[in-house]
Amino acid sequence: MWEQNRMNTATLFRTILILTVAIATAHAGDRDQIAMIQQHIVEAENSGDLSLLENLFMADAVYLNPEGPPIVGERAILSLYEFMFRRYQWESEYQNEDLTIRGDSAGINGWYTYRLTPRTGGAVQRDENRFEWQFRKVEGTWKLAQLIYGEPVDPRSRVPDLPRPTGKYAVGIRDYFFTDTSRPEIFTEDQNDFRDVAFQVWYPAQESAGAPRAYRNLSMTQAAATFLNWPLFSNSYNVFVVSNSFSDAVAQRSTGPYPVILYNHGYGGFTTVHQTICEELASQGYVVVSVSHAYESALLLKPDGSVKGFDPNNQAYRDRLAEAGGSEQEELKDRIIRAGHLAEQEKYYRQLLVKSPRHQESVQVWAADNRFVLQKLKALNDTDPVLAGLFDLTAIGTIGHSLGGATAGELALTEPTVRAGINLDGFQFGGVLESELQIPFMFIWENGRNSRLPVNGNDLFFQKSKAACYSLVIQGFEHTTFTDLPLFESIWESPELSPQGLRAIKLQKAYIVAFFNKHIKEIPEPLLDGPSQKYSEVIFKSK
């Protein structure tokens, strides 16, 4: 018996020894892999060789410097390195203090010193900081999951949340993607390619116990940056910005159905560029449908979160950009603003429309996209598991920015179901010049194009309108102020929303909600009775 126990004990010790050696050997292999990754980072930073960084990061890796927002995604991190390598001679050194491996996770921390010498002259930057890297093992291969320099903080602490809506309703959101088989796609030569149309719907919802949706997902940030020719790292932090919208939330039916507002973004934009306004309107008891436009939007979002992205070098899009920024067109736009009387403004407008045939075409394409969306909304109002019965399709408004604003004017003119509309800083392409608006409309204009002459470039249409009409010029606004972009204009210096951006959004919410309340819901709105002391930067006219 004693001999048997001794043999069992010896067998147990041998087993433990074998396992210990195996674990040590495995950890040695893990340590070698992790050390190789660090070596590649050091060599890349000191040589400027971007190829050394390939396949080192997880697809959703996060990079965080002592200042600025997080950089999210392998492609965004590589774009940051590329940006830095072009501008600086980089010298770096790492001193490791600790390496831990636990299962499929590992971490290194220590001290990091660097020296950045501008390639074109300028002050040399030097610093020393703590660093902390986190790794994940995926299918036997270690990759970097998170790189934090400076104090170890949650990357989410370095970005703000979207400002909260002020209405009484929680906000739900749903995504839709359809193909209009009645319309061949004019931006491609494929005879079998038909028009894809995607749209997002914000709606009054019941309070949700879940987490709100991220402002944008990684696929959206990458597609937007690619199309708009931004560095991929510049907007990747959007994935950590928390919105106020809850995916597929239970609709608030007790006070429905609700008026429907069609939103159209500016040229090259996408459906969430003005999400603060969409959320605000939904919180106030509207259903907001933001429409995207294939090949002229940066992306189409699909219900599964994936995107259909577009090449900004497609010829039709490049031709339209060239037309928009052409010297003749720009001169005519300035003359429209500087015109001394309406006849002169009309003359220059006619010349602008003649010189802008592609924009004229795009307005008609975008208007057709909206009509297709209206058809789909009728079907969804009957069959959608979340939104059925929620739309009041007898009370439709429209709003848009830039070319989307021109589309709003075109829909106000040609779509019988539309009862009111707003053009945010868009020259009024389309057919409105040859007619008069018959429904309430608001033209809101910035004065950044000519700060010394705060004139609404659409005063001609304001004066010709046969219904209630408003002309607002907002001093201090620029073209992009009619998006969410100003909220994040100081993101590289501070994780807080820009005070100027917050003021701009607050002002827009006030006038947009007041307009639709008055002309869709028939609620009196004193803000539209005349100039406001609260918003003294607004030059207000009405008729």
Side-chain angles (χ1 to χ4, degrees):
M1 183 71 172
W2 179 83
E3 286 292 333
Q4 185 178 357
N5 287 342
R6 187 174 66 174
M7 290 176 63
N8 289 342
T9 301
T11 300
L12 177 61
F13 283 157
R14 281 196 301 272
T15 302
I16 292 172
L17 179 61
I18 290 169
L19 288 173
T20 301
V21 171
I23 292 170
T25 302
H27 274 190
D30 291 336
R31 289 173 186 274
D32 288 344
Q33 257 197 70
I34 291 169
M36 183 62 69
I37 291 174
Q38 188 174 39
Q39 181 181 339
H40 278 225
I41 296 281
V42 174
E43 289 181 3
E45 290 179 352
N46 285 278
S47 69
D49 185 352
L50 195 65
S51 68
L52 291 169
L53 301 175
E54 293 177 359
N55 301 315
L56 300 187
F57 306 94
M58 295 189 68
D60 59 352
V62 178
Y63 183 107
L64 190 63
N65 270 320
E67 294 88 26
I71 311 300
V72 186
E74 177 186 24
R75 293 175 58 197
I77 293 171
L78 291 177
S79 80
L80 173 67
Y81 272 109
E82 182 181 19
F83 179 88
M84 296 295 290
F85 289 166
R86 285 202 308 265
R87 287 161 177 77
Y88 297 98
Q89 175 65 48
W90 194 338
E91 301 168 71
S92 67
E93 183 178 348
Y94 291 81
Q95 295 293 329
N96 295 345
E97 289 185 348
D98 188 36
L99 166 61
T100 59
I101 300 174
R102 294 186 179 90
D104 290 337
S105 300
I108 297 178
N109 63 69
W111 287 92
Y112 168 69
T113 59
Y114 70 86
R115 172 190 172 103
L116 295 174
T117 304
R119 296 188 182 277
T120 56
V124 175
Q125 301 176 42
R126 300 180 181 86
D127 203 357
E128 179 181 64
N129 244 313
R130 298 287 304 176
F131 80 93
E132 182 178 293
W133 292 358
Q134 298 296 323
F135 299 81
R136 298 286 182 272
K137 189 186 239 183
V138 180
E139 297 181 351
T141 300
W142 287 99
K143 293 198 173 187
L144 275 161
Q146 186 167 271
L147 303 86
I148 294 182
Y149 296 89
E151 290 299 317
V153 298
D154 183 345
R156 290 173 177 79
S157 70
R158 299 278 281 277
V159 297
D161 297 339
L162 284 189
R164 292 186 62 81
T166 64
K168 67 180 181 180
Y169 296 104
V171 178
I173 183 171
R174 279 174 68 77
D175 313 307
Y176 298 90
F177 185 101
F178 296 100
T179 300
D180 184 354
T181 56
S182 70
R183 287 190 296 155
E185 180 53 71
I186 66 170
F187 284 88
T188 67
E189 297 179 359
D190 184 355
Q191 298 299 312
N192 297 314
D193 190 10
F194 293 93
R195 184 75 174 168
D196 288 331
V197 180
F199 55 93
Q200 291 184 276
V201 179
W202 285 265
Y203 57 93
Q206 297 180 24
E207 293 291 339
S208 175
R213 180 187 290 195
Y215 183 37
R216 290 161 190 163
N217 67 35
L218 192 55
S219 295
M220 294 174 70
T221 65
Q222 292 175 349
T226 298
F227 191 78
L228 297 170
N229 200 28
W230 296 344
L232 288 178
F233 68 84
S234 65
N235 67 332
S236 65
Y237 66 87
N238 283 176
V239 304
F240 285 139
V241 175
V242 177
S243 78
N244 303 285
S245 303
F246 294 82
S247 296
D248 304 324
V250 177
Q252 180 57 266
R253 299 184 177 281
S254 61
T255 49
Y258 303 97
V260 174
I261 307 298
L262 298 172
Y263 178 89
N264 288 266
H265 58 71
Y267 206 69
F270 48 103
T271 48
T272 63
V273 295
H274 217 172
Q275 183 161 332
T276 51
I277 296 301
C278 296
E279 290 181 342
E280 178 66 24
L281 283 166
S283 80
Q284 299 283 353
Y286 294 88
V287 172
V288 183
V289 182
S290 184
V291 184
S292 54
H293 308 283
Y295 297 93
E296 297 178 281
S297 296
L299 59 98
L300 305 185
L301 180 65
K302 298 180 180 181
D304 64 0
S306 65
V307 303
K308 180 176 181 178
F310 298 102
D311 181 359
N313 293 313
N314 79 76
Q315 192 59 49
Y317 179 71
R318 292 179 64 183
D319 289 345
R320 281 161 168 77
L321 283 185
E323 180 180 275
S327 57
E328 286 184 286
Q329 288 87 348
E330 287 297 297
E331 176 60 27
L332 286 168
K333 291 174 184 176
D334 286 338
R335 289 183 177 183
I336 287 169
I337 293 172
R338 297 196 304 264
H341 48 80
L342 293 182
E344 187 179 11
Q345 191 176 73
E346 181 173 350
K347 179 181 74 172
Y348 293 133
Y349 241 116
R350 290 190 180 281
Q351 294 177 24
L352 176 64
L353 299 189
V354 169
K355 294 290 184 179
S356 307
R358 294 180 177 89
H359 278 66
Q360 288 289 81
E361 180 183 40
S362 288
V363 167
Q364 300 307 322
V365 172
W366 288 27
D369 288 341
N370 280 262
R371 294 187 187 98
F372 175 75
V373 169
L374 287 173
Q375 293 174 11
K376 290 300 176 184
L377 292 180
K378 292 176 184 177
L380 293 172
N381 213 23
D382 293 332
T383 62
D384 190 84
V386 174
L387 302 182
L390 209 65
F391 311 148
D392 181 355
L393 295 174
T394 67
I396 297 174
T398 180
I399 180 174
H401 173 230
S402 197
L403 193 71
T407 303
E410 185 68 14
L411 289 170
L413 181 70
T414 62
E415 179 52 50
T417 59
V418 171
R419 288 174 45 183
I422 300 175
N423 179 337
L424 301 173
D425 205 42
F427 283 92
Q428 190 55 62
F429 295 100
V432 182
L433 184 64
E434 303 302 332
S435 187
E436 297 89 19
L437 291 169
Q438 305 292 327
I439 63 171
F441 207 84
M442 177 178 280
F443 293 98
I444 307 182
W445 201 258
E446 45 87 12
N447 75 323
R449 191 178 184 93
N450 192 337
S451 59
R452 294 180 298 173
L453 189 65
V455 173
N456 194 317
N458 287 317
D459 268 353
L460 170 66
F461 308 104
F462 165 75
Q463 295 293 349
K464 290 174 62 179
S465 172
K466 299 300 184 183
C469 200
Y470 305 84
S471 168
L472 280 63
V473 178
I474 308 177
Q475 300 175 92
F477 269 38
E478 297 181 350
H479 194 57
T480 56
T481 310
F482 297 98
T483 69
D484 292 342
L485 281 174
L487 290 170
F488 304 101
E489 62 187 7
S490 57
I491 190 68
W492 296 94
E493 291 79 40
S494 167
E496 304 298 325
L497 292 170
S498 157
Q500 294 84 1
L502 284 169
R503 170 70 177 181
I505 291 296
K506 180 180 180 181
L507 185 154
Q508 291 175 74
K509 286 180 176 181
Y511 279 97
I512 290 168
V513 170
F515 175 81
F516 286 126
N517 277 353
K518 180 173 182 176
H519 295 290
I520 297 290
K521 292 185 175 182
E522 299 180 352
I523 299 172
E525 286 287 352
L527 183 62
L528 300 185
D529 291 343
S532 167
Q533 290 185 345
K534 184 175 182 180
Y535 300 110
S536 58
E537 61 265 59
V538 176
I539 299 173
F540 181 95
K541 295 191 297 185
S542 64
K543 59 178 291 241

